[in-house]
Amino acid sequence: MKNLIGIILLLFSFTVNAQLARSGNALSFNFQVTDLGMGIRYDHKFFKTGIYTSFTKGNYKFWEFYIKDHYKYTIGITKFKQDNIFFSGGLTYNWYGNRYLPVNFNKFVLFPLSFELGMGVFEKLSSASREGIFTDIQFDFIKWESTISLGLMF
């Protein structure tokens, strides 16, 4: 329960910022391909830059080997190249629960800190509004994990 309250506070803590012209918020659903994890992402845009935070939870399964309860927390920045195309980069913290791995498994992959890079697209519903559809993909080059986000900007 404490984790859930912490996540909710983290995701909505950025809404305290003043709403500036050409700013916006996005809330999206995350799907992490490698461990079939699911989660949530919150973005806040300030003119041509922005910040984001996300949380996912998944489980790795490889034949008889497994990692249960992989939690991934991310905080990062976005840079908009145009009004609807952006690039992102963030610092990730990974926590792994119970695991059964092969003897020769590279333990460096289990190091908790990593980074991700990504890009995305935002499509407005109308030219006069800030509301629209938001999608992006991030990739962690150390852990070889990818995350796909799909959501709404408001």
Side-chain angles (χ1 to χ4, degrees):
M1 187 63 172
K2 284 191 250 180
N3 285 342
L4 180 61
I5 292 170
I7 292 166
I8 291 170
L9 290 175
L10 177 68
L11 291 175
F12 292 104
S13 65
F14 295 115
T15 59
V16 175
N17 299 309
Q19 293 293 317
L20 303 170
R22 297 185 56 164
S23 68
N25 299 300
L27 195 58
S28 56
F29 167 78
N30 280 358
F31 176 69
Q32 195 156 298
V33 179
T34 52
D35 66 356
L36 301 179
M38 291 185 262
I40 190 167
R41 173 176 165 152
Y42 172 77
D43 287 72
H44 186 77
K45 178 184 174 188
F46 306 93
F47 298 106
K48 294 285 186 182
T49 61
I51 55 175
Y52 73 95
T53 183
S54 69
F55 168 77
T56 58
K57 179 192 181 290
N59 295 300
Y60 288 99
K61 294 179 184 163
F62 330 88
W63 300 283
E64 71 270 11
F65 306 110
Y66 62 86
I67 299 175
K68 290 186 180 177
D69 299 329
H70 170 221
Y71 294 95
K72 179 178 174 183
Y73 303 95
T74 307
I75 188 161
I77 58 171
T78 55
K79 177 68 177 160
F80 284 77
K81 290 296 183 185
Q82 297 173 3
D83 252 358
N84 64 338
I85 298 172
F86 64 91
F87 297 93
S88 63
L91 180 67
T92 66
Y93 175 77
N94 296 274
W95 183 84
Y96 303 97
N98 189 20
R99 55 189 170 248
Y100 175 65
L101 300 170
V103 176
N104 60 350
F105 187 78
N106 184 357
K107 301 292 185 193
F108 180 72
V109 175
L110 298 177
F111 188 73
L113 292 177
S114 188
F115 70 95
E116 66 182 20
L117 297 174
M119 67 174 299
V121 176
F122 161 63
E123 188 62 41
K124 292 182 181 181
L125 295 177
S126 72
S127 60
S129 73
R130 289 187 302 194
E131 293 82 19
I133 299 169
F134 169 89
T135 184
D136 75 329
I137 184 166
Q138 304 93 28
F139 191 77
D140 187 324
F141 291 94
I142 294 174
K143 300 186 182 303
W144 290 96
E145 295 175 338
S146 58
T147 305
I148 300 168
S149 301
L150 178 63
L152 297 174
M153 197 160 209
F154 51 94

